[in-house]
Amino acid sequence: MHRKECCRSCAGQLYDAFAAANGVRPDAAFEEKLLASISRYPRLEEYLEQWTEVRVGLMPPPNSATILKTSCPICEALVSVIFVGSPLLRAAESLFDLFGSLVTRWEYVGSQLMFEARKPDEGEMQRFEAIVSEYTHGEIASDSFSTPRMSAPSVPQNARDVVARSIELGQLWIVAHELSHALQSSVAIYTDLGSWRDRGWIEDILNYEFPGVGEDTRANWAIELDADVKATDIMFDALFDRMKTIENHTMRGETAAGMLCGGLAVAMEAIYRLEVAVIGEEVRHEGYVPEHPPSHLRWKSNVERTGFLSRPRKDVDLACFGSILGGISQRFRTRHQEERKLY
Ligand SMILES: [Zn+2]
Ligand SMILES: [Zn+2]
């Protein structure tokens, strides 16, 4: 929430105009739920309160999350509003509730995670298609997440906890990504997030992974990867701050990094699944300039970033939770993916 009254009313008008122009309908229940999640991470809440405000609503995709910016007509301060489409947040939740319900074993033997998941049955494949199809139509059936599938007795409690937390962190990472776009207009915050460096390494990643992409695409992707890693920095900061009970700093960092990778997996996998469904045809058009880099590049660069933020430990793979969640997701090779030959 902006601090000054003039900026608050400017933000209100900015959002109302956006909502009217795009046919956004309110989703008060989910907005409340998201704000409650944010309040569990005081550092994230602080950043949001200092720089912007958050709204959630029903809007047809692909505009699933965005940042609205203007300058206050009275005090000329930068005013921004983060809008997150609830179909995206709800779909992320429904998809990972479904994925989590396949887990049959999740226990630690020493420091090693023993993990097993079964194959989805026909009904579960249909459920997956239904979630994706509801998303592409900008509607989510009201009963979508009333009964979590993960609460089935076959699912170990550990798995339920990890997946539920990963879902929450994934949703918050999406908010943090949009927050980062607000911060891209401001230099001051860069010194706040002391770990932030220049963009040189993003250029390196693009040169290495995608030497052939055109200038427009490269420019878009650089902005998005920049927002991604800043979101990862913010979420790591928020998680690290929240785990005050762990006194050992190395262990605290490793725990935060592990959890964050779970959240990254949810965000990347949900965005990937839903983008494939929505822009699947568009990407084939000549001259198409993708706004976002491919999800696997986003996953890779953000997991690397997480490893950079926390000192690595030899016996624990930071990306372990994330890889497991991504692995379950891959069991759903679906009709729309096969038809469009997109993987
Ligand atoms: Zn103002
Ligand atoms: Zn973005």
Side-chain angles (χ1 to χ4, degrees), residues 63-335:
N63 290 319
S64 38
T66 192
I67 178 97
L68 318 169
K69 293 185 210 176
T70 190
S71 66
C72 175
I74 308 219
C75 73
E76 291 179 4
L78 173 74
V79 166
S80 66
V81 177
I82 291 172
F83 169 79
V84 194
S86 55
L88 171 65
L89 298 175
R90 285 175 184 265
E93 188 151 327
S94 305
L95 284 176
F96 277 84
D97 173 54
L98 175 62
F99 299 163
S101 72
L102 302 186
V103 179
T104 51
R105 187 179 184 203
W106 187 296
E107 60 181 303
Y108 294 89
V109 177
S111 62
Q112 196 151 18
L113 173 63
M114 306 301 283
F115 166 83
E116 282 164 27
R118 60 183 174 78
K119 281 200 168 128
D121 63 26
E122 194 53 40
E124 286 160 337
M125 292 302 288
Q126 282 167 10
R127 164 93 182 134
F128 177 90
E129 296 287 355
I131 295 167
V132 173
S133 143
E134 281 174 359
Y135 172 80
T136 50
H137 295 96
E139 292 289 341
I140 295 292
S142 53
D143 67 342
S144 287
F145 64 127
S146 53
T147 328
R149 291 183 169 227
M150 269 201 298
S151 60
S154 59
V155 182
Q157 187 62 47
N158 267 347
R160 264 179 238 161
D161 295 345
V162 170
V163 177
R165 190 176 51 217
S166 298
I167 290 170
E168 180 171 75
L169 288 171
Q171 292 169 331
L172 295 180
W173 185 91
I174 290 170
V175 174
H177 173 97
E178 296 306 330
L179 169 64
S180 302
H181 281 311
L183 304 185
Q184 280 169 333
S185 316
S186 164
V187 179
I189 192 77
Y190 285 17
T191 50
D192 262 27
L193 287 168
S195 57
W196 182 248
R197 295 176 300 167
D198 59 79
R199 266 195 198 159
W201 73 279
I202 290 178
E203 286 295 315
D204 289 348
I205 290 179
L206 291 178
N207 289 337
Y208 180 72
E209 299 259 350
F210 298 93
V213 301
E215 278 311 307
D216 292 350
T217 302
R218 177 179 291 265
N220 282 352
W221 288 7
I223 292 170
E224 291 306 324
L225 286 174
D226 176 279
D228 276 4
V229 291
K230 210 175 277 107
T232 294
D233 286 4
I234 291 168
M235 288 310 298
F236 181 82
D237 189 24
L239 269 162
F240 190 82
D241 172 70
R242 202 187 157 200
M243 286 187 287
K244 292 194 174 78
T245 48
I246 305 178
E247 278 178 22
N248 179 321
H249 268 232
T250 306
M251 195 192 282
R252 197 166 149 191
E254 284 163 356
T255 311
M259 285 182 183
L260 184 51
C261 285
L264 288 171
V266 170
M268 298 311 160
E269 207 50 37
I271 290 169
Y272 165 71
R273 293 304 195 155
L274 302 172
E275 272 194 349
V276 163
V278 174
I279 63 167
E281 300 302 335
E282 221 177 319
V283 294
R284 304 214 176 283
H285 294 171
E286 214 177 305
Y288 172 71
V289 179
E291 196 178 326
H292 293 93
S295 298
H296 75 267
L297 175 59
R298 300 179 78 181
W299 162 249
K300 202 174 153 198
S301 53
N302 283 287
V303 167
E304 262 170 33
R305 181 71 184 168
T306 309
F308 169 79
L309 294 170
S310 165
R311 252 186 292 168
R313 197 167 89 190
K314 285 197 184 80
D315 60 336
V316 174
D317 176 5
L318 291 181
C320 173
F321 296 141
S323 304
I324 287 174
L325 295 179
I328 305 175
S329 172
Q330 277 174 24
R331 294 178 186 208
F332 292 83
R333 175 161 295 187
T334 62
R335 195 163 32 76

